[in-house]
Amino acid sequence: MKKNIALIPGDGIGVEIMVQARNVLERISTLYNHHFYFDELLVGGCAIDAYGDCLPKRSLESCKNSDSILLGAVGGPKWDNQPHHNRPEHALLTLRKELGLFANIRPAKLFDELKDSSPLKNSILQNGVDFIVVRELVGGLYFGEHKIEEVDGERIGFDVMSYSVSQIEAIARVAFDIASLRRKNVVSVDKANVLSSSKLWREIVEYVSRDYKDIALTHMYVDNAAMQICRNPSQFDVILTENMFGDILSDESSVIAGTLGVLPSASLSNIKDLCKESNHKFGMYEPIHGSAPDIAMQDKANPIGMILSAAMMLELSFGLKNEALAIQNAVYNTLSQGYRTGDIMSEGKKLIGCKEMGEIICKNLV
Ligand code: NAD
């Protein structure tokens, strides 16, 4: 198989972990006789430094011409004083919008080997944790109008939260489709007791659910969902929610795994031109963490979330299930052999850096 992959290392640890993911993909291409062509692009703070622009035109065009995108992380204190439209994080919002990346899929899975890293008690974890947060990504509060106005001598900040029927329907279908491949259970999270956008959300999710008779649907308010994820995470299979609630709940869910460093994510597109073949889903794949400026360039980053993002890309975008499984097994085996980066280190395990973790995972790839 021949695929063009846009690589966006970004800033901070993004640069270090991307090297390891690329090595893993190169090893896969040798083992399975594929041809992956990489185009490394500047986006985020590094692009501001080079061109004064957080998302240069060439980077955006190359992303559009690729078969899929792998992203490290962008941002850092150096660029915190950039104007809103040129902040590194703004480049991500623009990429999501321009590429139609409307569905964010974040697994929250507890690796048996990392149970001790989880902040939750063993009694809560005994039934395992394996759920997916399906988050709407291009609507809601983050894409509404933002302004600060002076009213009667006092400054007031406004952020508009809105959802259309078609936006809700599209993301609900993704959640039900994913649930139909899993344990057939969707919990839709909203704040329908207060927000109009949530009332419409609930109505449309109910409407879509009629097409998925074998899937159990329940609704939960976001404050209760935040609590239930800590009290009884095993109850969840697929959580469907809007942009900001999903941002917060998926970060909370990731803590269950013990570290931000091991979890991948996918953002899938609904733009038909980008999904060139009928079985090809265009997506952007990235670990769930940020650029971790506190440990950047010290060889301390955990590259597993980035490497598992590459595996997710092979499976969801290119349909290469065996190759994805090979990467996942290599990661599990590396953890079983006792290798740990600092964020998941525990007594009796072997502390290694980002580079060595990537190398051992590559070695374990068969
Ligand atoms: P962060 O995820 O970068 O870091 C939070 C904590 O987790 C830090 O202590 C960090 O050292 C640790 N951590 C994160 N990833 C790790 C890994 N792979 N291995 C080991 N430890 C890891 O969140 P933050 O500190 O709030 O944000 C830092 C910067 O990243 C900010 O500029 C923020 O805007 C940006 N950010 C970018 C993205 C993205 O590119 N998608 C997402 C979130 C935050």
Side-chain angles (χ1 to χ4, degrees):
M1 182 181 278
K2 290 184 181 173
K3 291 291 176 194
N4 295 310
I5 301 169
L7 296 184
I8 302 176
D11 307 310
I13 63 166
V15 180
E16 298 163 80
I17 57 178
M18 183 62 83
V19 173
Q20 304 313 321
R22 183 180 178 151
N23 289 344
V24 164
L25 286 173
E26 276 170 355
R27 174 110 177 100
I28 284 285
S29 65
T30 309
L31 288 172
Y32 291 83
N33 202 20
H34 298 305
H35 298 278
F36 298 139
Y37 303 101
F38 299 109
D39 191 5
E40 210 158 289
L41 307 169
L42 292 184
V43 173
C46 57
I48 297 173
D49 288 349
Y51 303 113
D53 183 355
C54 65
L55 180 58
K57 208 166 165 215
R58 159 165 146 64
S59 297
L60 178 58
E61 287 311 306
S62 300
C63 285
K64 286 182 177 168
N65 291 328
S66 71
D67 292 311
S68 209
I69 305 169
L70 209 51
L71 175 106
V74 299
K78 184 177 176 193
W79 305 283
D80 276 352
N81 293 326
Q82 286 288 320
H84 185 74
H85 69 274
N86 202 35
R87 285 178 61 104
E89 296 80 1
H90 190 77
L92 292 190
L93 297 185
T94 310
L95 270 177
R96 287 173 189 162
K97 199 84 177 169
E98 288 280 330
L99 301 170
L101 300 173
F102 78 110
N104 185 229
I105 295 154
R106 291 209 200 182
K109 192 175 160 83
L110 179 68
F111 293 72
D112 251 13
E113 282 290 334
L114 299 183
K115 257 189 180 157
D116 289 342
S117 306
S118 177
L120 296 185
K121 288 188 233 164
N122 268 330
S123 57
I124 292 175
L125 300 173
Q126 62 189 356
N127 294 325
V129 179
D130 180 9
F131 64 90
I132 288 185
V133 179
V134 175
R135 165 188 170 196
E136 202 288 330
L137 207 55
V138 292
L141 204 53
Y142 295 173
F143 284 90
E145 190 190 353
H146 310 288
K147 62 179 178 182
I148 298 174
E149 262 183 11
E150 193 160 316
V151 179
D152 295 335
E154 188 179 18
R155 294 197 309 145
I156 303 183
F158 296 88
D159 301 282
V160 177
M161 180 166 184
S162 69
Y163 266 105
S164 68
V165 168
S166 55
Q167 281 175 317
I168 302 167
E169 182 170 346
I171 193 70
R173 290 198 182 280
V174 171
F176 283 105
D177 285 342
I178 289 177
S180 59
L181 302 171
R182 293 174 49 94
R183 302 193 301 279
K184 303 192 185 332
N185 190 306
V186 171
V187 175
S188 174
V189 172
D190 59 37
K191 191 70 184 166
N193 50 344
V194 180
L195 302 175
S196 297
S197 56
S198 281
K199 282 184 187 124
L200 185 66
W201 180 277
R202 198 173 270 218
E203 180 190 323
I204 302 307
V205 171
E206 284 283 347
Y207 167 78
V208 171
S209 76
R210 290 185 212 150
D211 292 342
Y212 298 85
K213 299 245 183 296
D214 58 335
I215 310 272
L217 168 68
T218 47
H219 302 278
M220 201 178 269
Y221 294 137
V222 62
D223 38 356
N224 185 26
M227 193 172 68
Q228 293 296 333
I229 286 171
C230 291
R231 280 188 56 189
N232 180 15
S234 315
Q235 71 184 287
F236 296 110
D237 177 21
V238 174
I239 292 178
L240 160 65
T241 193
E242 64 89 45
N243 202 345
M244 184 180 67
F245 298 161
D247 190 5
I248 297 166
L249 294 182
S250 52
D251 264 15
E252 181 192 356
S253 310
S254 64
V255 175
I256 297 172
T259 171
L260 292 171
V262 297
L263 294 175
S265 77
S267 304
L268 301 179
S269 174
N270 55 6
I271 297 180
K272 292 220 163 41
D273 286 354
L274 295 173
C275 303
K276 297 168 185 93
E277 302 141 28
S278 59
N279 62 348
H280 177 113
K281 286 193 187 71
F282 184 89
M284 184 160 88
Y285 297 81
E286 55 183 309
I288 65 158
H289 56 76
S291 60
D294 54 333
I295 56 165
M297 307 321 276
Q298 298 170 42
D299 195 34
K300 285 183 178 167
N302 188 338
I304 290 178
M306 182 83 252
I307 289 170
L308 290 177
S309 299
M312 235 176 148
M313 174 184 76
L314 296 183
E315 182 173 5
L316 294 185
S317 277
F318 306 157
L320 299 175
K321 280 194 178 157
N322 290 338
E323 289 81 341
L325 196 62
I327 297 176
Q328 287 156 6
N329 286 338
V331 169
Y332 298 143
N333 290 338
T334 305
L335 292 173
S336 308
Q337 290 158 3
Y339 294 106
R340 300 283 189 274
T341 43
D343 56 320
I344 50 174
M345 183 59 191
S346 59
E347 218 182 311
K349 305 297 178 190
K350 291 164 229 166
L351 180 65
I352 57 174
C354 176
K355 188 166 173 279
E356 198 176 351
M357 181 61 97
E359 284 166 0
I360 296 171
I361 291 170
C362 267
K363 243 185 246 163
N364 280 330
L365 260 176
V366 280

